[in-house]
């Protein structure tokens, strides 16, 4: 049995900012969004919490795009399109089978 995770405003803020976007951000992006609100937030804290959220199934990792891991709070099965020109990661509607 895993120990219960304590409530943390920063931990919740990391999940909230990830849940509030469809841009499939990196840990660095999440950090930059929260740093003005939580000046003592460290990038390590963001990485640790994202790893825990991923392990708990609350978010998923999409793998890396140009060496940077990208995340998605939408854990429902869906397809992603990754643009090799601009590195955008987009959710795709399920395409009908011809």
């Amino acid at each position: 049995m895993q120990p219960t995770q304590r409530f943390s405003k920063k931990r919740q803020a990391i999940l909230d900012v990830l849940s509030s976007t469809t841009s499939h951000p990196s840990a660095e992006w999440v950090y930059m969004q929260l740093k003005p609100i939580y000046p003592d937030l460290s990038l390590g804290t963001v990485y640790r919490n994202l790893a825990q959220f991923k392990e708990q199934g609350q978010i998923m990792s999409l793998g890396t795009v140009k060496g940077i891991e990208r995340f998605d709070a939408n854990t429902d099965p869906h397809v992603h399109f990754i643009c090799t020109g601009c590195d955008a990661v987009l959710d795709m509607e399920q395409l009908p089978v011809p």
Side-chain angles (χ1 to χ4, degrees), residues 3-23:
T4 304
Q5 183 69 40
R6 291 184 317 161
F7 175 79
S8 159
K9 288 181 184 179
K10 290 177 196 171
R11 179 177 170 77
Q12 187 61 51
I14 291 166
L15 186 58
D16 289 346
V17 79
L18 186 61
S19 298
S20 71
T21 184
T22 59
S23 68

Side-chain angles (χ1 to χ4, degrees), residues 39-89:
D40 61 336
L41 179 69
S42 72
L43 186 55
T45 296
V46 174
Y47 274 109
R48 277 190 303 280
N49 280 282
L50 290 174
Q52 288 176 351
F53 292 142
K54 187 171 65 171
E55 184 179 303
Q56 295 165 352
Q58 292 179 279
I59 67 169
M60 67 174 148
S61 171
L62 305 179
T64 60
V65 177
K66 294 208 175 158
I68 299 172
E69 187 173 16
R70 305 283 288 270
F71 299 93
D72 193 350
N74 177 2
T75 58
D76 294 333
H78 62 286
V79 177
H80 294 99
F81 171 80
I82 300 173
C83 178
T84 57
C86 69
D87 302 331
V89 180

